[in-house]
Amino acid sequence: MAVTKAELAEIIYRNIGFSKKDATEIVDTFFDLIKEGIISGEKVKIKGIGTFYARSKKERLGRNPQTDKPMMISARKVIVYRAGTSLKKLLKENKIVASSKDDGA
Amino acid sequence: MKKSELIERLAEKFPHIAKADVEKIVNSMVERIIEALRKDDRIEIRGFGSLFVKSRKGREARNPKTGVRLTIEPKHVPFFKAGKELKELVNKNTQGK
């Protein structure tokens, strides 16, 4: 099952003991602050998870794969995520990954 | 912005919650996210994006410098796909007037 904001709020509400309202609001605000950081051009580094930031891409010539027509792809920003070393290491050492997928999706 | 600054900013918005508790809350969220990734579960945050693990197959490779053959083990890499809202917001500042 995918982890959602609702589940994170539930954990806070049950394990740490805040009101459901506070728990929900704090989870929302947590992600809003990360979002605001990325949008304002900051590198947001969450130890244990990794770094999020926006990177600018220049305008370039692309091709519509369906019609094969060349077209200009406008300059834009993309969001980059770099996993932290600790997370990469955890996943590398983790052998249970494959097994848990079988009983789920 | 580091995690400590994020906690700081979060605490400012919730003056009735002690900073130590805000820290506990943030850490428990981070822990849950890591735990989910370890179990190969996705994290789906509406408006923000999703985090998930992609599997890479092992393969034979070659060190381009020395030409020595080596096998690369299969591995799992964390991946983030930005949500629609975040993608739009990040482009709003530059494109829209």
Side-chain angles (χ1 to χ4, degrees), chain A residues 3 7 43 45 94 100, chain B residues 1 32 38-39 44 91:
Chain A
V3 176
E7 195 207 303
K43 274 195 178 182
K45 190 173 181 179
N94 203 7
S100 96
Chain B
M1 169 163 54
R32 178 65 187 107
R38 293 188 74 170
K39 290 181 179 162
E44 288 178 3
N91 279 296

Side-chain angles (χ1 to χ4, degrees), chain B residues 29-66:
Chain B
M29 281 194 271
V30 170
E31 273 164 33
R32 178 65 187 107
I33 290 170
I34 294 169
E35 185 200 54
L37 289 172
R38 293 188 74 170
K39 290 181 179 162
D40 203 13
D41 285 335
R42 296 171 70 92
I43 294 99
E44 288 178 3
I45 309 297
R46 178 125 336 144
F48 179 67
S50 50
L51 273 166
F52 52 96
V53 174
K54 272 192 180 178
S55 302
R56 298 244 191 275
K57 280 186 199 149
R59 60 192 167 91
E60 294 285 320
R62 197 188 272 274
N63 181 330
K65 237 180 200 161
T66 61

Side-chain angles (χ1 to χ4, degrees), chain A residues 2-41:
Chain A
V3 176
T4 57
K5 284 200 281 201
E7 195 207 303
L8 292 173
E10 187 73 24
I11 289 169
I12 293 164
Y13 162 72
R14 267 190 318 197
N15 299 0
I16 313 180
F18 287 95
S19 70
K20 264 191 180 149
K21 185 173 168 279
D22 272 344
T24 310
E25 277 176 15
I26 210 159
V27 171
D28 277 341
T29 314
F30 172 78
F31 288 104
D32 284 347
L33 285 169
I34 297 177
K35 247 188 328 198
E36 276 171 28
I38 298 170
I39 292 163
S40 67

Side-chain angles (χ1 to χ4, degrees), chain A residues 1-5 7-8 11-12 16 18 22 25-27 29-31 33-40 42-49 52 54 74-81 83-84 87-88 90-94 96-98 100-101, chain B residues 1-6 9-11 13-14 16-18 21-22 24-26 28-30 32-34 36-48 51 53 55 75-80 82-83 85-87 89-91 93-95:
Chain A
M1 257 277 280
V3 176
T4 57
K5 284 200 281 201
E7 195 207 303
L8 292 173
I11 289 169
I12 293 164
I16 313 180
F18 287 95
D22 272 344
E25 277 176 15
I26 210 159
V27 171
T29 314
F30 172 78
F31 288 104
L33 285 169
I34 297 177
K35 247 188 328 198
E36 276 171 28
I38 298 170
I39 292 163
S40 67
E42 281 182 274
K43 274 195 178 182
V44 183
K45 190 173 181 179
I46 312 293
K47 205 172 171 191
I49 298 178
F52 299 88
S74 57
R76 66 191 61 207
K77 281 183 180 168
V78 289
I79 288 121
V80 182
Y81 164 67
L87 179 60
K88 280 193 204 161
L90 270 179
L91 291 176
K92 199 176 172 185
E93 288 163 358
N94 203 7
I96 56 158
V97 167
S100 96
K101 199 156 209 178
Chain B
M1 169 163 54
K2 290 185 301 180
K3 194 173 80 177
S4 56
E5 289 163 50
L6 183 61
R9 290 183 204 182
L10 203 51
K13 303 219 176 197
F14 294 87
H16 63 291
I17 299 175
D21 285 334
V22 174
K24 226 191 264 176
I25 290 169
V26 168
S28 72
M29 281 194 271
V30 170
R32 178 65 187 107
I33 290 170
I34 294 169
L37 289 172
R38 293 188 74 170
K39 290 181 179 162
D40 203 13
D41 285 335
R42 296 171 70 92
I43 294 99
E44 288 178 3
I45 309 297
R46 178 125 336 144
F48 179 67
L51 273 166
V53 174
S55 302
K75 60 181 169 186
H76 305 282
V77 276
F79 211 82
F80 174 69
E85 191 192 316
L86 179 57
K87 275 190 200 168
L89 282 172
V90 89
N91 279 296
N93 295 344
T94 44
Q95 288 175 346

Side-chain angles (χ1 to χ4, degrees), chain A residues 66-78:
Chain A
Q66 240 161 48
T67 62
D68 220 30
K69 274 195 187 133
M71 55 187 292
M72 221 34 167
I73 297 171
S74 57
R76 66 191 61 207
K77 281 183 180 168
V78 289

